[in-house]
Amino acid sequence: MSDPHVLGPGLAPTPFTAAEIRAGCPDGRWVLSRTERAGEVAFHRSGFEEGDADGCTCTTVTTDASGRLRGQVRRRRATWRELQGHAAFPADATSVATERIRLAVGELECLRYEVRGDAGTSTFWFALAHPGMPVRYRTGDAEVEVVALG
């Protein structure tokens, strides 16, 4: 494929390329997210370490609202292309638009991906200034939103 945003036939362009995600997720970067599901609220911190040309070690840990660790840190190795692939949605089920949203981390210009599936529509907002994971998403009965970046 000649477009590095398109990972294969039938897939919509991803918001970021693997190279953009690598540049946007250097060692030490972390994202604190708030998840609300069925009236329950939880927080978790995702981070990036041991990055190299191929990928990085992704970390995830449950925290309190201030980001203090409340569990064991889970680590897994991923390639930058695998991380890009998390946003590779079927082209015929995906619509993309720009939208400015307000979060605890500020007002952000985003690409909003609406993805239709058998279980309903999931919506993902990817901040153009923060290549990597979505800064907000809604899927099923869950809503996840970034509350701090570091």
Side-chain angles (χ1 to χ4, degrees):
M1 306 238 83
S2 61
D3 183 346
H5 289 269
V6 179
L7 293 183
L11 295 175
T14 60
F16 309 110
T17 66
E20 290 168 333
I21 294 169
R22 179 183 180 199
C25 299
D27 286 358
R29 179 175 187 233
W30 56 266
V31 176
L32 180 63
S33 299
R34 176 186 187 273
T35 300
E36 185 172 344
R37 176 180 282 126
E40 300 281 326
V41 175
F43 293 86
H44 69 274
R45 191 176 78 186
S46 302
F48 303 88
E49 55 188 44
E50 301 171 350
D52 58 30
D54 296 320
C56 68
T57 298
C58 300
T59 62
T60 305
V61 63
T62 301
T63 71
D64 64 14
S66 70
R68 283 189 299 268
L69 304 186
R70 294 288 188 214
Q72 293 293 328
V73 177
R74 295 182 308 274
R75 290 178 166 76
R76 72 173 184 82
R77 182 78 182 168
T79 68
W80 300 115
R81 189 160 169 107
E82 284 174 313
L83 295 177
Q84 179 184 2
H86 291 169
F89 304 113
D92 62 354
T94 303
S95 63
V96 181
T98 57
E99 183 177 343
R100 194 164 193 80
I101 63 171
R102 179 165 290 287
L103 301 170
V105 295
E107 195 168 309
L108 301 170
E109 188 72 27
C110 296
L111 290 176
R112 183 187 71 231
Y113 279 61
E114 290 189 2
V115 184
R116 296 172 308 284
D118 293 339
T121 299
S122 297
T123 307
F124 304 85
W125 289 264
F126 295 91
L128 297 175
H130 301 285
M133 61 195 286
V135 293
R136 175 189 284 163
Y137 67 90
R138 292 183 188 134
T139 185
D141 66 346
E143 181 168 337
V144 180
E145 189 170 290
V146 170
V147 295
L149 296 164

